[in-house]
Amino acid sequence: MHRRIVRPFGSSIPATRGFSLLLMLVVLGMLYNTIRQPAMWRFLAARDDAAQVQVGAPPAVVEAPANEIIVPGPNDLDPDALAEFRRYEELITDRTELRPREMVPYWQLMGWSRTQPFREFEQRALREPAFTQLWDQPEKYRGQPIRLRMHVRRVLQYDAPENPLGIKETYEAWGWTDESKSFPYTVVFADKPPGLPVGPDVEAEVVFVGYFLKVMGYTAFDARRGAPLMVGRVRLTGPRPGGKVTAANPWEVWGLVILGALLLSVASVWFMVSARRQKRVAASLPADISSFDLTPSEAVSLPLVTDFDPDRNPFR
């Protein structure tokens, strides 16, 4: 009689299938740990330079050069100079591009930023205000000294138009802070520190100290955006913290992705085939064990041996 084994907790998993599941989990773990690294996806941005990652503590702040340019004159500490700036303040409009009528207070702030050493300027500046503070209340911070530690990703050089300061060149840097995340700041300065690269795609760590002018509007990816525009001075603290690493090979990344997809596909097909095989085997078995019982009419009568002699050999 065929005995049907009943497993109340389901069928057990064969050793080969369990080993395959464990191997698949290990491969998926390695795949996830690899693709979660930012350096693995730097090639998608088509960068010319090697990808860099942040490791270790940031370098010490580089001191301001001893020969920094100081131009004597009034600044925001002078009540008369501050009152003059307030008279032009009504010409400033936030969330618009920089307009010609706003160039008078623009150059006034540029002149203020060059009247004092960087260290003294930094000590009395408001440190690291929130991006939303400048965005929501620009009139409150207009003309106020602000200090930011920035991750600069673009530095552009422009020929300065005719101005009362006699400046021939200005520099415009775009970057963000740890607090602003993906929301950039725009800072303008006349004196570029040695070692600061210039170009549309750079990586540098700087400390900026300057005066907030306005929230400047700009267009990016067919959308209107805004960035706080500030005029002041920049001190280079070094390249982006961390050592350079070679950019990831695209074939290596996609090879891991394809391998993981193949493993998942093979495992899915294996489970489907196994499930169908088990269903076919289950369908071929009787649903009730009682079907194996013999009816009286089917029973076979066996002769009873009543005169059994142990000394008798039936094969002799």
Side-chain angles (χ1 to χ4, degrees), residues 2 32 115 218 238 246 274:
H2 177 77
Y32 171 77
T115 60
Y218 66 97
T246 305
S274 300

Side-chain angles (χ1 to χ4, degrees), residues 117-174:
F118 190 96
R119 181 170 294 278
E120 296 180 7
F121 197 12
E122 182 181 10
Q123 289 176 351
R124 68 184 189 87
L126 175 63
R127 289 178 172 264
E128 312 294 336
F131 183 92
T132 53
Q133 291 179 282
L134 302 177
W135 180 270
D136 295 334
Q137 297 178 301
E139 64 283 349
K140 179 180 178 180
Y141 299 93
R142 208 179 315 276
Q144 183 174 345
I146 292 176
R147 188 259 196 196
L148 297 173
R149 188 180 184 93
M150 297 178 56
H151 312 291
V152 172
R153 295 298 175 265
R154 171 177 293 187
V155 179
L156 303 178
Q157 180 180 359
Y158 296 100
D159 293 332
E162 185 177 353
N163 59 86
L165 304 179
I167 295 177
K168 301 301 182 182
E169 295 177 341
T170 59
Y171 298 87
E172 178 185 274
W174 290 73

